[in-house]
Amino acid sequence: MPVMKTKQPVEVIVIGGGAAGLSGALTLARARRSVLVIDAGEPRNAPASGVHGFLSRDGMLPRDLVARGQEEVARYGGSVVAGRVVSAAHADCRFEVTTEAGERYSARRLLVATGLTDELPEVPGLAERWGRDVLHCPYCHGWEIRDQPLGVLGTGPMSVHQALLFRQWTSRITLFPADRVEVTDYQREQLTARGIDVVEGAVAAVEVDEDRLTGIRLASGRLVEVTAVALSPRMRAGNVLLSLGLEPVEHPMGVGEHIEADATGRTAVPGVWVAGNATDLAAQVVGAAAAGNVSAAAINADLVAEDTSIAVAALRRAQEVRGQAESQRL
Ligand SMILES: Cc1cc2nc3c(=O)[nH]c(=O)nc-3n(C[C@H](O)[C@H](O)[C@H](O)COP(=O)(O)OP(=O)(O)OC[C@H]3O[C@@H](n4cnc5c(N)ncnc54)[C@H](O)[C@@H]3O)c2cc1C
């Protein structure tokens, strides 16, 4: 990998240019901070046909939202470059990040907005349908599959809850524990009361016909006809800043791994903030954008505090030098 010389330093590097990163960059650029977004260009919702539930943006194509965000960042002097950050180092009060292509960038603060990876169970046919008719979030897709026959594929502790939740959108639900979920007697009572069928047994495949999901095939050979499948993937925040000691940890709900942070996104590593799905696994687009905005304001306040300390130190030095010069004159 060729290592190139460090590019023009900026005040803030945003790693990841989805809703969280671009929103953070916009706020920082408008705060007259020099900001650079480095983005690998794979937002989590890319396979979806629209962004839903984002007031004033409902139904917009995910790539159009990103393009609009990039334009807004550029309008205030921020830059967006394509690239994948692979490591970061801290030295002399600055961070230096390196991309896969060997480019190096330097900044006073970092905002990590790298999102998360959805890990799907290994069922033939499933991954190809992800974001189309294999879904996870009722607020993102529930309206689109309302009243349709839905299979909820068991993956872990949230699966029964997910089946009960989707019941708000359709009454035609079958839960497949798929030998991965143990359904308690009380949960069975809840499912029965809500008219949700439970079909036991290993799942062999997701059946597709003419580019439409048609059912779930069990290992026994039985086919249960459904037109959509919901599941809870294991969600894993990337470990892009492992080199700075920023390690994703298990989420308290047992649904994946995230980077811990306070309400403003401040992490345990001074100078590094995190926003969006990388820390909040449940954040939707509007929540990720809001988090980027909050982190950006916190970063700006931190830089203002540092700028002020530097200015005060310089003022004191100047006063000291003036005082010494005057005492020598006397
Ligand atoms: C199929 C699907 C459909 C969805 N539909 C909706 C919906 O309708 N409405 C809704 O509100 N939410 C929806 N969501 C959730 C939505 O995707 C997230 O809320 C949102 O993407 C979180 O934004 P983010 O900025 O945190 O992460 P992302 O949007 O995932 O952006 C992260 C960015 O960082 C980049 N990146 C990652 N690692 C690196 C690296 N090392 N260096 C540089 N860049 C990197 C990625 O390529 C990506 O561009 C959906 C999710 C899925 C999976």
Side-chain angles (χ1 to χ4, degrees):
M1 177 177 77
V3 174
M4 299 165 200
K5 85 181 211 319
T6 307
K7 309 255 179 182
Q8 181 69 26
V10 291
E11 288 176 296
V12 187
I13 289 176
V14 179
I15 309 175
L22 289 171
S23 168
L26 175 63
T27 303
L28 285 159
R30 284 178 49 80
R32 311 186 73 182
R33 296 291 178 190
S34 54
V35 58
L36 171 73
V37 181
I38 306 174
D39 183 40
E42 293 166 355
R44 183 182 172 211
N45 56 348
S49 61
V51 175
H52 291 291
F54 191 154
L55 187 66
S56 83
R57 296 289 173 271
D58 187 69
M60 193 175 198
L61 276 173
R63 65 167 176 274
D64 288 351
L65 186 83
V66 169
R68 177 83 68 87
Q70 290 181 350
E71 275 166 33
E72 290 175 358
V73 170
R75 199 182 295 164
Y76 298 96
S79 310
V80 182
V81 295
R84 181 175 292 279
V85 172
V86 288
S87 69
H90 192 215
D92 301 330
C93 301
R94 293 195 74 84
F95 294 96
E96 189 164 270
V97 306
T98 306
T99 68
E100 216 167 39
E103 288 157 337
R104 294 198 310 226
Y105 300 90
S106 143
R108 294 169 66 189
R109 300 289 183 275
L110 296 181
L111 174 56
V112 180
T114 45
L116 62 79
T117 304
D118 293 290
E119 293 180 349
L120 308 182
E122 281 190 23
V123 173
L126 201 69
E128 294 83 342
R129 308 302 303 176
W130 177 240
R132 299 174 65 196
D133 33 31
V134 173
L135 321 161
H136 72 302
C137 161
Y139 304 102
C140 307
H141 311 278
W143 176 264
E144 283 64 39
I145 55 103
R146 65 194 183 280
D147 298 328
Q148 292 182 26
L150 173 73
V152 176
L153 183 58
T155 55
M158 296 306 287
S159 297
V160 172
H161 169 71
Q162 192 176 38
L164 292 169
L165 197 60
F166 266 101
R167 177 65 180 74
Q168 175 62 20
W169 285 265
T170 175
S171 57
R172 302 159 73 190
I173 298 187
T174 308
L175 171 66
F176 297 84
D179 298 343
R180 291 190 206 92
V181 179
E182 211 167 301
V183 185
T184 66
D185 289 346
Y186 178 56
Q187 287 174 326
R188 270 181 209 282
E189 191 182 10
Q190 289 180 312
L191 293 164
T192 305
R194 294 295 277 152
I196 297 171
D197 291 335
V198 179
V199 172
E200 304 284 354
V203 166
V206 161
E207 296 282 325
V208 176
D209 187 31
E210 293 189 356
D211 202 27
R212 294 186 99 88
L213 197 151
T214 53
I216 288 186
R217 177 80 62 188
L218 296 168
S220 65
R222 180 181 166 195
L223 178 72
V224 180
E225 288 183 10
V226 294
T227 54
V229 169
L231 58 87
S232 298
R234 186 164 167 80
M235 297 176 280
R236 201 186 286 276
N239 53 9
V240 64
L241 294 188
L242 267 188
S243 51
L244 286 176
L246 206 59
E247 201 169 343
V249 297
E250 187 66 28
H251 191 274
M253 285 177 76
V255 291
E257 287 176 15
H258 73 137
I259 298 171
E260 280 181 313
D262 74 7
T264 70
R266 187 192 293 265
T267 70
V269 178
V272 180
W273 272 257
V274 62
N277 276 166
T279 181
D280 180 358
L281 300 178
Q284 290 191 263
V285 176
V286 69
N293 169 272
V294 168
S295 294
I299 291 171
N300 182 52
D302 196 48
L303 286 169
V304 165
E306 188 177 270
D307 291 342
T308 307
S309 306
I310 292 168
V312 167
L315 178 71
R316 286 184 185 160
R317 256 196 322 276
Q319 285 169 339
E320 212 176 283
V321 170
R322 237 187 351 257
Q324 280 167 1
E326 271 169 27
S327 61
Q328 276 169 10
R329 259 205 314 275
L330 292 175

